[in-house]
Amino acid sequence: MLTSFYKMHGLGNDFVIFDERTGHLPLTPVRIAALAHRRRGIGCDQLVTLRPACAEGADVFVRFFNPDGSEAGACGNASRCVADLIWRQTGNRTPVLQTRAGCLPANIAPDGLVTVDMGEPQTQWQQIPLSDPLDTLSLPLVGSPAAVSMGNPHATFFVDDFSMLSQGSALEHDPLFPDRANIGFALVENPTRMRLKVHERGAGVTEACGSGACAAVVNAVRRGLVERICEVELDGGVLRIEWAANNHVLMTGSATMAFEGTVDLAAYAS
Ligand SMILES: N[C@H](CCC[C@H](N)C(=O)O)C(=O)O
């Protein structure tokens, strides 16, 4: 039996999206990893599932899974893609996405750009989480990164070049991060623009990372390096991030429908 899926991307950060709103699918961590495999599977940075929302006012419950089968509490680029998909299906330009990190209101503008309210950043060590009660503005690692959670853990290194990118995997698994972490390398160009590359937890280096961009701007503002509205240039394109006065972080960027397909899930390891 064939199962339909959507293939979408946000600035080249790509996703396979399964709609489980009419019935749950047998998506085990092993099968998720097999489906996400670039050669033996469909291939994606994250696999996303949609289920009926249970939160008041939400339109859909969204979960995000990395290619290693681990689950992420947040995924900014995929959230924009799901918001865009809901709009395509229903005409609703203001869908609300329920996620494990909370409900995220979205808005699809007439020009097609999607804004998602990614909620409030969490800056306490227990919320990241870290293994010890440390100052999250400057961690005791080479490069003194800042840490924040956007519903998923992020450490941001402020750099003059991207030579540290190769250390992403070791940093992801540093004992300081009991749940591992997404590792961002930010090069601040001026108070309203930065370049960013991210080694994603459970996925490796991606073309873009929405929650990573939110984390980088929050950490840069905390350090006094950028203003609260900042453009973030990733390999796959530019996101506009605003850490608003109400403490919510707004992320605006494109969402792209690449193709729809079908797959025989039984053909993949369970
Ligand atoms: N690509 C996603 C981030 C995935 C985060 C995931 N790697 C994790 O384990 O937290 C984004 O656009 O925010």
Side-chain angles (χ1 to χ4, degrees), residues 7 17 78 129 132:
K7 186 69 170 41
I17 301 172
D132 301 293

Side-chain angles (χ1 to χ4, degrees), residues 195-214:
R195 290 177 56 207
L196 178 71
K197 294 181 185 285
V198 180
H199 170 99
E200 288 195 17
R201 175 178 62 170
V205 177
T206 58
E207 286 196 22
C209 182
S211 57
C214 295

Side-chain angles (χ1 to χ4, degrees), residues 13 45-46 64-75 100-101 127-129 148-155 168-169 171-174 177-184 198-206 209 211-212:
N13 186 202
D45 289 332
Q46 275 85 35
F64 314 102
F65 298 90
N66 291 312
D68 67 356
S70 63
E71 184 167 6
C75 186
R100 296 187 68 166
Q127 299 167 317
I128 309 294
V148 68
S149 173
M150 291 303 306
N152 57 346
H154 289 269
S169 181
L171 290 162
E172 170 195 349
H173 293 87
D174 191 281
F177 307 117
D179 295 348
R180 299 184 289 165
N182 298 282
I183 309 296
V198 180
H199 170 99
E200 288 195 17
R201 175 178 62 170
V205 177
T206 58
C209 182
S211 57

Side-chain angles (χ1 to χ4, degrees), residues 48-247:
V48 179
T49 64
L50 309 180
R51 288 192 176 179
C54 52
E56 178 71 27
D59 296 287
V60 64
F61 177 43
V62 191
R63 295 175 73 182
F64 314 102
F65 298 90
N66 291 312
D68 67 356
S70 63
E71 184 167 6
C75 186
N77 288 321
S79 296
R80 290 200 320 280
C81 289
V82 170
D84 180 81
L85 179 61
I86 300 297
W87 166 63
R88 290 167 183 268
Q89 293 177 336
T90 66
N92 178 5
R93 287 187 176 272
T94 56
V96 177
L97 280 54
Q98 177 185 352
T99 73
R100 296 187 68 166
C103 287
L104 312 180
N107 181 73
I108 293 85
D111 65 2
L113 288 181
V114 184
T115 297
V116 176
D117 177 344
M118 294 290 287
E120 300 187 64
Q122 306 296 318
T123 58
Q124 301 303 310
W125 71 275
Q126 309 93 320
Q127 299 167 317
I128 309 294
L130 299 180
S131 56
D132 301 293
L134 296 166
D135 172 9
T136 62
L137 203 43
S138 181
L139 300 183
L141 293 171
V142 172
S144 304
V148 68
S149 173
M150 291 303 306
N152 57 346
H154 289 269
T156 309
F157 289 78
F158 292 99
V159 298
D160 298 322
D161 62 57
F162 294 109
S163 55
M164 276 189 73
L165 191 58
S166 58
Q167 300 176 48
S169 181
L171 290 162
E172 170 195 349
H173 293 87
D174 191 281
L176 205 55
F177 307 117
D179 295 348
R180 299 184 289 165
N182 298 282
I183 309 296
F185 301 96
L187 193 160
V188 176
E189 294 181 321
N190 63 58
T192 58
R193 188 175 177 87
M194 69 168 67
R195 290 177 56 207
L196 178 71
K197 294 181 185 285
V198 180
H199 170 99
E200 288 195 17
R201 175 178 62 170
V205 177
T206 58
E207 286 196 22
C209 182
S211 57
C214 295
V217 170
V218 166
N219 284 330
V221 171
R222 293 168 71 199
R223 286 268 184 96
L225 300 174
V226 301
E227 295 176 10
R228 296 180 75 93
I229 298 176
C230 186
E231 282 193 344
V232 180
E233 180 185 346
L234 301 124
D235 290 346
V238 178
L239 289 174
R240 177 190 186 274
I241 307 296
E242 177 178 358
W243 187 8
N246 66 355
N247 197 38

